[in-house]
Amino acid sequence: MATSNGEKSLIVSFGEMLIDFVPTVSGVSLADAPGFIKAPGGAPANVAIAISRLGGRAAFVGKLGDDEFGHMLAGILKQNGVSAEGINFDTGARTALAFVTLRSDGEREFMFYRNPSADMLLRPDELNLDLIRSAKVFHYGSISLIVEPCRSAHLKAMEVAKEAGALLSYDPNLRLPLWPSKEEAQKQILSIWDKAEVIKVSDEELMFLTGSDKVDDETALSLWHSNLKLLLVTLGDKGCRYYTKGFRGSVDPFHVNAVDTTGAGDSYVGALLCKIVDDRAVLEDEARLREVLRFANACGAITTTKKGAIPALPTESEVQSLLKGN
């Protein structure tokens, strides 16, 4: 329910925020890049800003370095209307950095600087539990599961949110180079699988987690568990598939001129959470859920039409104009 003063309910996003350094020209290797532009990112932070930009209420929980970049990122959250009450600053570790190459097809390759970065050092005793308890939706990824103490902080935050009645939302957001091995990534991503009620995976993540070479209903449903209310498989420029206890189907994509896929999945998730936070009944009403997923697809599509994640995240009016034009 929305709070009594008409404010929207809070969505808390947990995990990492970092700076991507993106080459000034597309389609080159990191070594050949003539220069780099700072692009703030990190999937959970992108989701929080996506929600806020669509008119929702969002907070971010995580740890940044007590350095210029860390304070810059906290400032970006605040400028975008995201509560920064859940942010801690680490005096001993730097804010995480990633160097990202944009291939000529708009897909990305990553090189990370995290040894260790501040986000990995968030401890359970540093969590803002009051903020987490006030969440109606608690959203997270899997990068925060890679190392301690952040893993324990993640598990504690999930438990506290769940006890307080939040809907748990999970987008594994696989970044293989950050994990010690493929096996460890698969094991840890699946270790919290049965806790989430809404899960979104990409087609590539579906194949990785199941070991299948097919992206079909059977493969997707092998990831189903009894606590799940909605499983989503995003198919890039081919739209998405949805699975619930009572029905399943697919929603067509919007065709746009994609220049950079960064943040498209985060935009999609933010849109979905924004639409269901005060209306969980949508998850049991196929016609309305399809409308929500069409809206989410539109958000994802618009995000690919500009460089960088955060600048490309759309407003409600931008989404409505794409929906009306189709």
Side-chain angles (χ1 to χ4, degrees), residues 186-204:
Q186 191 183 42
K187 180 182 155 195
Q188 295 302 348
I189 287 170
L190 293 173
S191 71
I192 58 167
W193 200 256
D194 62 353
K195 300 269 193 282
E197 294 154 285
V198 173
I199 295 177
K200 174 241 148 191
V201 288
S202 68
D203 42 8
E204 288 176 5

Side-chain angles (χ1 to χ4, degrees), residues 9 32 82 93 118 135 153 224 238 262 284 289 312 314:
S9 295
D32 292 334
V82 175
W224 187 263
K238 296 180 184 68
T262 311
E284 288 158 27
L289 180 64

